[in-house]
Amino acid sequence: MTGRIYVVPIHRPMVVNLQFLTEAITSRFGVPSLPLSLEIDLGRAHDRFRNQYHSTEILAQLLRQAPRDTLRILGLTDLDLFIPVLTYVFGEAQLGGKAAVVSCYRLKNELYGLPPDNRLLQARLLKEAIHELGHTFHLLHCDDPSCVMRVSTYVEEIDYKGDRFCAACEARLANILEDLLGAAFRKASF
C-alpha cells in the first residue's frame, strides 16, 4: 500500500504554517505530505450557542472527500474547535482511522495576552499535528512527559512536552507504518 498524508487548510490558517507542517510531516513520518484544497461546509460544524466548531463534523467532511490514495488526512484550521464533552480541543483524531484535525486558535500567544510568536506557534502546531496523526496510527496517550503522545489539556503542557515520540511509541509506529506501507517503508526519523 502506498499513500500520502494530505494537509487541508480550513478557513484561514497562515500559508507559511501549512508549508511548514507538510514538510515536517513528510520528515517525521517518512511519507509524502501535500497540501490539498477541499470545500468544508463550516456552517454544518458551527455551534451558534458556543460560537465554536464541532471538530467531529469536520473530520466527517474530510473523510468524505479524501482522495483514493489518502493514507491520512489532516485538517489545519484557525477556528476554535470543540467536542460536546469538553470546553475546547486543540485537535481531534480518529483512533486508528484516517482523519485528524488540529487548530491554531488556542495555540497562539495572542489568545493569552502575549505578543505574537509564529515560531512558538509552529512548535506547538507541530506537536499537536504529530500527536493527532499518532492517534490515527493507533497510538494512545503516553505517560512519558517528554513524548509527543502525552495528553495536553493546557497550552503550557504542549510547551513542556517534546515533539518526538518516546522509544516505545516510536517502535509501535514504525511497526504500524511497515504493516501499512510494506517492505518499501524505511524507518523515518521520528
Side-chain angles (χ1 to χ4, degrees):
M1 177 182 178
T2 60
R4 299 171 189 264
I5 299 176
Y6 288 105
V7 181
V8 178
I10 300 169
H11 199 242
R12 297 179 300 215
M14 292 171 56
V15 171
V16 66
N17 292 335
L18 178 66
Q19 292 169 336
F20 164 78
L21 205 52
T22 55
E23 292 170 8
I25 289 170
T26 297
S27 172
R28 294 299 172 90
F29 289 91
V31 174
S33 177
L34 297 170
L36 175 69
S37 292
L38 295 177
E39 290 293 324
I40 303 296
D41 181 358
L42 293 176
R44 295 180 60 158
H46 186 251
D47 183 309
R48 66 185 174 105
F49 296 107
R50 298 174 68 129
N51 196 25
Q52 292 177 300
Y53 294 83
H54 193 176
S55 53
T56 308
E57 170 58 30
I58 293 173
L59 292 182
Q61 291 188 45
L62 290 170
L63 277 174
R64 282 195 294 270
Q65 300 179 65
R68 290 183 145 223
D69 67 344
T70 299
L71 180 64
R72 297 294 184 265
I73 189 165
L74 174 71
L76 170 63
T77 186
D78 61 342
L79 299 170
D80 193 15
L81 301 178
F82 81 98
I83 58 174
V85 297
L86 295 174
T87 304
Y88 64 87
V89 292
F90 298 119
E92 182 184 359
Q94 295 180 301
L95 185 62
K98 284 191 172 186
V101 62
V102 64
S103 171
C104 301
Y105 183 83
R106 292 185 183 266
L107 304 180
K108 294 179 180 176
N109 268 357
E110 301 91 300
L111 188 67
Y112 308 99
L114 300 170
D117 184 342
N118 201 54
R119 286 186 59 191
L120 181 58
L121 172 61
Q122 286 183 340
R124 292 170 175 167
L125 188 58
L126 176 63
K127 292 175 187 180
E128 289 309 294
I130 291 173
H131 180 95
E132 297 303 342
L133 286 170
H135 284 316
T136 68
F137 291 110
H138 299 277
L139 296 181
L140 302 175
H141 288 150
C142 180
D143 291 334
D144 184 327
S146 65
C147 181
V148 74
M149 291 310 296
R150 176 87 173 187
V151 67
S152 302
T153 307
Y154 302 101
V155 74
E156 293 87 354
E157 293 171 319
I158 297 171
D159 293 341
Y160 180 73
K161 70 181 178 182
D163 63 4
R164 304 268 176 191
F165 296 103
C166 68
C169 289
E170 181 180 328
R172 186 161 185 222
L173 177 61
N175 288 335
I176 291 167
L177 285 171
E178 284 181 24
D179 287 346
L180 284 172
L181 301 174
F185 174 73
R186 295 186 182 181
K187 185 178 174 186
S189 60
F190 302 114

